[in-house]
Amino acid sequence: MADETDVLVELWKGQREEARQMEAQRAALTNIVIIMAGAALGFLAQQGSLQPSSLGVTLPMFVLGAFGAVASAKYGERWAVHSGLADALRREVGLRHPALNLDGIVTANRAERQALFPRIRRVKIWVLWMVLHSAISAGGLLLSVWILAEHS
């Protein structure tokens, strides 16, 4: 039978894998949204002018960007759950094996990163992805409003 530390390490690995999976899913979704938004903008540029029929492109772009922003926030939340559980499991392994100095290693790494990146470290990556998706959504909304204003 595996000892308790082996069980904790396996649980830690599982949580880290789940956290990576959340980020991979967010990346795939973002790639799809960017490709579709780029195609929509390319189609609109090729038309030469915005017509009421362009709403068939701009409104879905708005919805797609909004969906991407909400999904990015949810992926960020799920990542935080799995990453937090992994951190708790690592701390437990550290308590059981103090000679490993896991907390000291983590604390030293955190201090080094804070010294190297004093401002940007405060920015959460999921917020950046939400801003990107929100910008795509806002672009679709603004183009839609422009079309409605010009043709009403």
Side-chain angles (χ1 to χ4, degrees), residues 46-128:
Q46 188 178 25
Q47 277 188 320
S49 66
L50 294 173
Q51 300 299 322
S53 62
S54 300
L55 289 171
V57 175
T58 61
L59 289 174
M61 187 171 131
F62 163 67
V63 172
L64 185 65
F67 174 78
V70 172
S72 287
K74 185 62 180 176
Y75 283 133
E77 178 264 336
R78 297 310 305 158
W79 177 89
V81 166
H82 296 297
S83 185
L85 284 170
D87 287 347
L89 291 164
R90 178 198 37 81
R91 281 191 299 276
E92 182 61 28
V93 170
L95 288 173
R96 291 168 187 246
H97 301 281
L100 294 174
N101 190 28
L102 294 178
D103 283 340
I105 293 168
V106 171
T107 301
N109 177 267
R110 185 172 291 131
E112 184 179 331
R113 281 183 296 122
Q114 288 175 353
L116 289 171
F117 308 103
R119 290 188 187 98
I120 196 70
R121 70 178 174 80
R122 293 184 205 135
V123 177
K124 303 294 183 202
I125 191 71
W126 65 269
V127 172
L128 294 176

Side-chain angles (χ1 to χ4, degrees), residues 2-11 92-94 96-97 100:
D3 86 346
E4 292 174 350
T5 300
D6 292 338
V7 172
L8 290 171
V9 169
E10 287 303 312
L11 289 170
E92 182 61 28
V93 170
R96 291 168 187 246
H97 301 281
L100 294 174

Side-chain angles (χ1 to χ4, degrees), residues 15-31 71-80 82-83 124-130 133:
Q15 291 305 311
R16 293 302 303 155
E17 182 57 35
E18 288 291 330
R20 281 190 288 277
Q21 179 67 16
M22 291 300 105
E23 182 57 20
Q25 289 177 353
R26 196 266 333 130
L29 173 68
T30 298
N31 287 338
S72 287
K74 185 62 180 176
Y75 283 133
E77 178 264 336
R78 297 310 305 158
W79 177 89
H82 296 297
S83 185
K124 303 294 183 202
I125 191 71
W126 65 269
V127 172
L128 294 176
W129 293 120
M130 275 189 59
H133 287 277

